[in-house]
Amino acid sequence: GFKFADSVHAGECPFCGTDIVTDSAQVRPINPKSLLPFKINEMEAKRQFKRWLKSLWFAPNKVKKYADDDAKLQGVYIPYWTYDSQTETLYQGARGKVYYVTERSDTYRGGQLVRETRQVPKVDWTPVQGRVARFFDDVLVGANKSLPRQILDHLEPWDLDNLVPYNESYLSGFTSEYYQVGLDEGFDLAKRKMDSVIYHDIALDIGGDEQRIDRFHTQHDQTTYKHCLLPVWSAAFRYQQKTYRFVINGRTGKVQGERPYSVWKIAFAVIMGLIVVGGALTFLERSHNSSQTDSFPQINLDSFDTYR
């Protein structure tokens, strides 16, 4: 739900424009302890949105006209959780060492039989196991369900070092949202973020040319959390009976949002791409036929990417 002024219990959702009503008796167990104040004003947010909208590839022309509209943006404080955790991870996997074998084959080119050789990469695997540890500080999880998580996550980075103690005076002229993602659910999402970093740590610890991670288990200790509010400018536009939402980071001006695609523009781009590729293949084939050779091509080993 959204928090309006104390005397107001109804209004429009700032993310989609639909009417919502709050419960004046609603009680939440965890109050925000800190927030980031708005750093950019509505005028600057509009400039950022217009620049973003005009830059969209494959957007219908009718959508881009919204860049010239004077739509009002809504300033909203979105709830977030941040988590700290000391982790220790045990893993099992394998270290891969790349080596090359020579393969020979005969093929017809330009009506002539040509023998070719090439170096083929192979991997020799050695079982490994080990332990990695890392302390995570301020892993950020959006506690909002009104916006897709992809939009929330891509509003980062936030300058959390500049968080200030929560004070309702900062909310004057803005709306704020109660958290919809609970503390435990938020920590599960935070652990997914941590796992992606831990996975990279394990790969580095395994070493070698390639790595295979079969299983790992992480223990979390000294886990703490903070509940904070972060500022965004938000609005929505309708196109062909569908609402598209967008938000702007109220500190950096970074824009994230939903957008429609023009089927005609995409189809045209695909056709042009096929024409270009077809022309290039024809040119290469003619060039090859004009320089028939029985030579044995040499393989540059440096051209092989031995890392996944």
Side-chain angles (χ1 to χ4, degrees):
F2 293 89
K3 180 178 181 181
F4 303 100
D6 292 340
S7 59
V8 179
H9 304 291
E12 288 188 345
C13 170
F15 304 118
C16 61
T18 58
D19 292 332
I20 55 176
V21 178
T22 64
D23 181 359
S24 59
Q26 191 175 37
V27 177
R28 297 287 174 171
I30 302 176
N31 292 319
K33 297 297 182 183
S34 57
L35 59 77
L36 282 176
F38 277 86
K39 190 174 183 179
I40 65 171
N41 58 28
E42 183 181 1
M43 184 177 299
E44 174 60 23
K46 283 183 179 180
R47 282 197 292 265
Q48 295 290 347
F49 169 62
K50 290 179 180 180
R51 188 178 299 117
W52 172 77
L53 199 55
K54 289 181 177 179
S55 70
L56 294 181
W57 284 43
F58 303 125
N61 293 332
K62 289 183 179 180
V63 170
K64 294 194 175 186
K65 78 179 181 63
Y66 285 99
D68 299 321
D69 290 348
D70 192 24
K72 180 176 176 57
L73 302 182
Q74 175 69 59
V76 187
Y77 279 101
I78 295 182
Y80 278 80
W81 301 108
T82 74
Y83 298 90
D84 297 349
S85 187
Q86 178 64 55
T87 66
E88 181 176 321
T89 303
L90 301 178
Y91 69 84
Q92 292 180 331
R95 179 186 303 111
K97 181 179 180 180
V98 175
Y99 63 97
Y100 295 88
V101 296
T102 301
E103 290 187 356
R104 296 178 174 82
S105 62
D106 294 334
T107 185
Y108 281 94
R109 286 187 177 177
Q112 294 187 358
L113 183 65
V114 178
R115 170 160 292 185
E116 295 180 338
T117 63
R118 62 187 183 121
Q119 300 295 317
V120 179
K122 304 288 184 179
V123 182
D124 183 25
W125 293 102
T126 302
V128 295
Q129 61 183 9
R131 166 190 172 277
V132 294
R134 175 184 285 268
F135 177 74
F136 287 90
D137 181 38
D138 283 340
V139 177
L140 195 62
V141 175
N144 169 295
K145 289 186 177 180
S146 303
L147 288 169
R149 185 148 303 280
Q150 184 177 10
I151 291 180
L152 288 175
D153 290 345
H154 283 82
L155 283 173
E156 299 181 25
W158 294 91
D159 52 331
L160 298 181
D161 291 342
N162 293 316
L163 283 168
V164 300
Y166 174 78
N167 188 310
E168 284 201 356
S169 63
Y170 287 106
L171 274 56
S172 178
F174 305 105
T175 60
S176 65
E177 187 188 9
Y178 291 116
Y179 61 83
Q180 299 163 305
V181 175
L183 184 61
D184 292 339
E185 182 183 355
F187 188 48
D188 288 338
L189 294 171
K191 286 192 287 188
R192 294 181 193 175
K193 286 189 171 184
M194 297 181 202
D195 282 348
S196 65
V197 177
I198 291 171
Y199 196 92
H200 180 68
D201 288 347
I202 293 173
L204 288 176
D205 197 59
I206 290 176
D209 298 321
E210 296 188 8
Q211 303 81 35
R212 190 178 71 229
I213 301 173
D214 298 326
R215 62 183 61 87
F216 66 92
H217 174 73
T218 300
Q219 180 70 38
H220 291 265
D221 293 308
Q222 304 173 33
T223 303
T224 60
Y225 74 91
K226 292 191 294 287
H227 177 28
C228 60
L229 300 178
L230 304 183
V232 301
W233 290 101
S234 174
F237 62 86
R238 292 186 63 80
Y239 175 72
Q240 293 187 345
Q241 309 306 313
K242 184 176 179 180
T243 299
Y244 295 89
R245 301 161 294 181
F246 66 89
V247 289
I248 303 161
N249 186 313
R251 300 286 294 183
T252 65
K254 185 177 183 180
V255 182
Q256 288 294 315
E258 302 167 323
R259 44 78 57 87
Y261 288 86
S262 170
V263 175
W264 295 109
K265 287 185 179 181
I266 294 175
F268 178 76
V270 170
I271 292 172
M272 291 302 297
L274 292 175
I275 292 174
V276 171
V277 171
L281 291 176
T282 301
F283 175 78
L284 291 175
E285 179 66 22
R286 289 177 177 175
S287 298
H288 176 75
N289 290 338
S290 65
S291 57
Q292 296 176 358
T293 178
D294 293 337
S295 62
F296 291 82
Q298 298 298 315
I299 304 299
N300 181 4
L301 298 186
D302 293 336
S303 66
F304 286 97
D305 183 2
T306 59
Y307 293 86
R308 285 182 176 174

